[in-house]
């Protein structure tokens, strides 16, 4: 058991990600031609610069940082949605992404059809989803809406359904992006309980949030990203103290100006 | 590639179902549209042709219908395949899955439409008293597979290019429209004297494929195994190069949606 607990689940080495931010998207011939004549229009934007860390099994890692610091991009790189510009991400196990929950649904299809579509996208088989179907529906609390097209769902309902499918999928690594702030109080409580269950099962969790209280309460480790650079990697309490100090400094700087 | 496609078979099935539903769900006539479109075109062109004089060849009706249906198949593969990734941007940005499944699911819908329309062809052939042999049917399947291999090979390239260069959608639409009139669908190359056109016609690969489908139904042309085998081998080469290109490029597309 001990050796398993020390298994490295995610290894990030010299990871950098650069986006080309074009002021006009170069999607047509005219803008192609114009962009050649006018090269300064698009610029490089380094979202992540030389990020290094490794995560072991059973760790619950909180990721903090201001908007635009690269948190979500980091998760998408680990989830293999984006390709790194340089460096590499090594993942050892099956990833369950909880990214932009509810966005991936097909609005024209019913809740039931979306459960099957989404479930297979996460790697389940239809037979397995059939087995779990009742559980998923019950968890979401949307029993009466399974034949309704998802376009008629509220955003809260979509998120609940998305969470319910993902949480029923067996994986090794769970990527959570701001998910504890979704749904009503009751659903939040339920989802938190499920996440705590994952921790007990020694699953590895990466958790992006702006809620600092939940980081100090649950996480075993905290990564602080600032403008794409890892500013701190270690105990949550230390990370939060430094992060809050930095935020205060920024405010003081602004106030003094 | 092969392995991942098999383990994700259920995903493919669900995507095909979703595509199919999306296309016809909110229309009164629903799936009937698959038949109405080619059949209406057929009636108009047949009326014009037969009214203008006598039918140019024996079983001209079947000649025409096969041309319309098979051109429709090729044209749908090109259009669906080209939009396969762009149409699924919402899920591609959310979860990582083998992208060739997105491509296959789009092409599968063109295949389903071909199957439905084949029933129509068979009915017309039966009522016209055209003799259909098992070898002819097998040959028709072989030609269809050849066309599919080409459709897949081309879509490996166009699905990726379209994301970076959106004009390609309109360019392809225009090309398909022009090709419709450069292909012996409603005219008969040898009967209709088209000054200078017939040499081009002889080189038009779409026309050659359509004539080979006709050969399978014992109409107009005769079966040429060597021609189809050359097309099949060339198609497989395009597919191989395409899948290499696709797998290299597809990781980089997420940020261009």
């Amino acid at each position: 058991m001990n050796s398993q607990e020390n298994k490295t689940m995610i290894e990030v080495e010299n990871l950098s990600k650069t986006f080309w931010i074009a002021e006009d998207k170069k999607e047509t011939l005219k803008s192609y031609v114009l962009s050649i004549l006018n090269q300064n229009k698009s610029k490089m934007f380094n979202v992540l610069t030389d990020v290094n860390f490794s995560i072991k099994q059973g760790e619950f890692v909180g990721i903090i940082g201001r908007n635009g610091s690269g948190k979500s991009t980091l998760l998408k790189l680990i989830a293999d949605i984006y390709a790194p510009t340089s460096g590499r991400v090594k993942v050892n196990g099956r990833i369950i992404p909880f990214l932009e929950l509810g966005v991936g649904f097909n609005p024209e299809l019913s809740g039931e059809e979306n459960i099957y579509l989404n479930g297979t996208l996460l790697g389940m088989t239809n037979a397995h989803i059939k087995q779990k179907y009742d559980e998923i529906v019950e968890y979401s609390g949307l029993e009466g809406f399974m034949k309704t097209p998802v376009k008629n769902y509220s955003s809260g309902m979509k998120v609940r359904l998305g969470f319910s499918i993902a949480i029923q999928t067996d994986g090794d690594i769970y990527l959570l992006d701001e998910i504890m702030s979704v749904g009503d109080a009751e659903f939040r409580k339920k989802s938190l309980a499920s996440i705590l269950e994952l921790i007990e099962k020694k699953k590895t969790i990466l958790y992006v949030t702006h809620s600092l209280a939940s980081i100090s309460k649950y996480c075993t480790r905290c990564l602080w990203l600032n403008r794409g650079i890892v500013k701190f990697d270690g105990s949550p309490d230390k990370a939060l103290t430094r992060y809050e100090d930095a935020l205060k400094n920024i405010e003081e700087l602004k106030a003094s100006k | 590639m092969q392995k991942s496609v098999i383990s994700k078979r259920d995903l493919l099935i669900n995507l095909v179902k979703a595509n199919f539903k999306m296309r016809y769900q909110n229309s009164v006539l629903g799936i009937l549209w698959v038949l109405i479109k080619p059949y209406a075109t057929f009636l108009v062109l047949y009326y014009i042709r037969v009214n203008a004089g006598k039918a140019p060849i024996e079983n001209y009706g079947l000649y025409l219908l096969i041309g319309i249906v098979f051109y429709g198949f090729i044209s749908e593969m090109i259009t669906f395949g080209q939009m396969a990734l762009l149409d699924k941007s919402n899920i591609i940005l959310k979860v990582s899955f083998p992208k060739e499944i997105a491509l296959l699911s789009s092409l599968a819908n063109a295949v389903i439409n071909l199957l439905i329309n084949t029933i129509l062809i068979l009915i017309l052939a039966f009522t016209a008293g055209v003799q259909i042999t098992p070898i002819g049917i097998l040959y028709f399947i072989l030609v269809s597979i050849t066309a599919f291999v080409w459709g897949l090979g081309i879509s490996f390239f166009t699905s990726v290019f379209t994301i970076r260069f959106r004009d390609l959608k309109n360019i392809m639409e225009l090309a398909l429209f022009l090709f419709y009139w450069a292909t012996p669908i409603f005219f008969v190359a040898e009967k209709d004297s088209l000054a200078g056109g017939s040499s081009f016609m002889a080189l038009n690969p779409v026309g050659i494929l359509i004539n080979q489908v006709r050969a399978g139904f014992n109409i107009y042309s005769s079966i040429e195994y060597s021609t189809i085998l050359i097309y099949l081998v060339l198609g497989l080469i395009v597919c191989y190069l395409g899948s290499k290109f696709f797998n290299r490029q597809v990781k980089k597309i997420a940020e261009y949606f």
Side-chain angles (χ1 to χ4, degrees):
Chain A
M1 196 65 207
N2 237 343
S3 64
Q4 238 197 347
E5 273 178 47
N6 290 327
K7 202 165 93 177
T8 302
M9 301 303 283
I10 301 169
E11 231 180 318
V12 172
E13 282 174 16
N14 310 106
L15 180 68
S16 296
K17 182 68 190 171
T18 304
F19 285 114
W20 282 91
I21 307 290
E23 272 163 29
D24 299 307
K25 271 198 162 182
K26 289 195 294 291
E27 282 169 351
T28 63
L29 192 61
K30 186 182 160 202
S31 47
Y32 263 124
V33 175
L34 284 178
S35 74
I36 293 164
L37 300 172
N38 209 345
Q39 277 187 333
N40 296 334
K41 278 252 171 173
S42 52
K43 54 186 176 190
M44 301 260 268
F45 181 59
N46 295 319
V47 184
L48 292 171
T49 313
D50 198 24
V51 173
N52 286 282
F53 60 84
S54 78
I55 293 173
K56 290 195 159 47
Q57 187 181 4
E59 283 193 284
F60 187 169
V61 183
I63 301 174
I64 53 171
R66 302 173 65 198
N67 284 333
S69 58
K71 305 184 296 291
S72 297
T73 304
L74 179 61
L75 286 197
K76 286 193 169 182
L77 281 159
I78 293 171
D80 196 32
I81 292 167
Y82 289 150
T85 306
S86 66
R88 61 188 200 126
V89 179
K90 225 177 108 187
V91 172
N92 190 4
R94 185 154 158 210
I95 289 187
I96 308 297
F98 288 62
L99 309 174
E100 294 155 30
L101 284 172
V103 174
F105 287 131
N106 188 326
E108 298 292 332
L109 299 181
S110 70
E112 181 181 350
E113 288 160 338
N114 268 300
I115 289 179
Y116 279 91
L117 192 55
N118 221 273
T120 43
L121 275 169
L122 290 171
M124 286 193 268
T125 61
N126 277 341
H128 188 69
I129 299 167
K130 206 171 175 184
Q131 258 178 27
K132 291 254 182 181
Y133 181 76
D134 290 335
E135 235 174 298
I136 294 171
V137 176
E138 198 196 316
Y139 194 100
S140 70
L142 298 167
E143 283 92 342
F145 300 96
M146 280 303 115
K147 302 288 175 203
T148 313
V150 164
K151 65 180 172 189
N152 297 333
Y153 282 24
S154 70
S155 55
M157 287 160 84
K158 277 187 229 170
V159 172
R160 262 153 64 193
L161 188 61
F163 186 92
S164 308
I165 301 165
I167 202 76
Q168 295 291 348
T169 316
D170 277 327
D172 306 303
I173 302 158
Y174 291 76
L175 306 178
L176 315 179
D177 195 349
E178 280 294 353
I179 53 111
M180 289 195 202
S181 52
V182 296
D184 52 24
E186 198 198 326
F187 192 78
R188 252 196 315 249
K189 221 171 115 188
K190 187 154 63 171
S191 55
L192 180 61
S194 300
I195 289 164
L196 294 177
E197 238 173 74
L198 293 177
I199 300 170
E200 271 171 36
K201 286 187 199 156
K202 290 277 168 214
K203 303 288 186 188
T204 309
I205 303 172
L206 266 75
Y207 171 45
V208 163
T209 188
H210 288 289
S211 150
L212 302 183
S214 67
I215 296 256
S216 64
K217 208 165 164 188
Y218 306 111
C219 292
T220 58
R221 180 176 161 190
C222 184
L223 269 179
W224 167 22
L225 280 179
N226 189 33
R227 295 178 184 199
I229 295 164
V230 179
K231 195 95 176 196
F232 182 85
D233 177 4
S235 88
D237 289 332
K238 269 188 198 160
L240 293 182
T241 326
R242 293 199 188 181
Y243 181 59
E244 279 166 343
D245 282 351
L247 286 183
K248 257 182 229 153
N249 282 340
I250 290 165
E251 269 161 37
E252 275 162 22
L253 259 172
K254 268 187 193 159
S256 67
K257 265 183 187 171
Chain B
M1 183 185 134
Q2 197 65 22
K3 205 173 170 187
S4 59
V5 172
I6 289 167
S7 68
K8 302 270 175 170
R9 202 194 65 216
D10 287 352
L11 173 59
L12 179 62
I13 294 170
N14 290 348
L15 281 173
V16 172
K17 273 193 202 161
N19 279 350
F20 197 74
K21 272 221 163 117
M22 288 278 289
R23 214 167 284 277
Y24 302 109
Q25 189 179 41
N26 289 321
S27 67
V28 181
L29 294 172
I31 190 181
L32 276 178
W33 279 112
V34 178
L35 294 169
I36 293 170
K37 278 188 215 159
Y39 208 61
T41 317
F42 165 75
L43 287 177
V44 171
L45 292 178
Y46 186 77
Y47 179 80
I48 292 170
R49 194 67 205 244
V50 173
N51 246 22
K54 68 176 179 61
I57 55 165
E58 207 190 337
N59 289 319
Y60 175 70
L62 202 54
Y63 174 95
L64 178 62
L65 186 64
I66 290 171
I68 291 168
V69 166
F70 210 76
Y71 192 86
F73 172 55
I74 289 169
S75 145
E76 276 186 345
M77 279 198 299
I78 299 290
T79 348
F80 295 173
Q82 178 178 20
M83 298 306 288
L85 295 176
L86 209 53
D87 282 346
K88 293 185 181 62
S89 56
N90 62 336
I91 54 177
I92 289 172
L93 285 171
K94 201 187 156 232
V95 51
S96 169
F97 65 97
K99 308 293 183 298
E100 62 270 17
I101 290 189
L103 205 54
L104 284 174
S105 75
S106 294
L107 293 182
N109 283 286
V111 174
I112 291 172
N113 290 353
L114 175 69
L115 288 175
I116 295 169
N117 279 306
T118 302
I119 297 168
L120 204 72
I121 293 175
L122 289 174
I123 291 170
L124 193 72
F126 189 72
T127 48
V130 175
Q131 231 184 353
I132 297 169
T133 59
I135 287 192
I137 294 294
L138 286 176
Y139 191 68
F140 164 63
I141 294 169
L142 178 68
V143 179
S144 304
I145 289 170
T146 306
F148 181 83
V149 168
W150 273 95
L152 181 62
I154 291 168
S155 299
F156 274 134
F157 292 101
T158 52
S159 59
V160 173
F161 283 139
T162 307
I163 291 161
R164 302 287 293 271
F165 185 63
R166 305 281 163 106
D167 285 37
L168 198 59
K169 181 174 183 276
N170 293 307
I171 292 171
M172 294 298 265
E173 271 172 19
L174 179 64
L176 285 169
F177 175 76
L178 294 176
F179 235 74
Y180 190 91
W181 301 107
T183 304
I185 292 168
F186 110 109
F187 50 77
V188 185
E190 274 120 54
K191 302 278 169 184
D192 302 308
S193 45
L194 297 152
S198 54
S199 56
F200 169 74
M201 220 67 79
L203 293 171
N204 178 351
V206 179
I208 291 168
L209 281 180
I210 289 176
N211 278 337
Q212 286 307 299
V213 174
R214 287 167 176 150
F217 287 94
N218 224 345
I219 302 281
Y220 181 64
S221 309
S222 48
I223 290 176
E224 292 168 30
Y225 288 108
S226 55
T227 308
I228 283 305
L229 283 179
I230 291 168
Y231 272 88
L232 185 58
V233 170
L234 288 176
L236 287 171
I237 293 169
V238 172
C239 238
Y240 172 76
L241 296 175
S243 79
K244 279 194 126 179
F245 169 83
F246 184 83
N247 285 323
R248 217 173 330 115
Q249 294 295 319
V250 82
K251 297 202 91 188
K252 300 178 197 160
I253 57 162
E255 57 210 73
Y256 291 100
F257 283 125

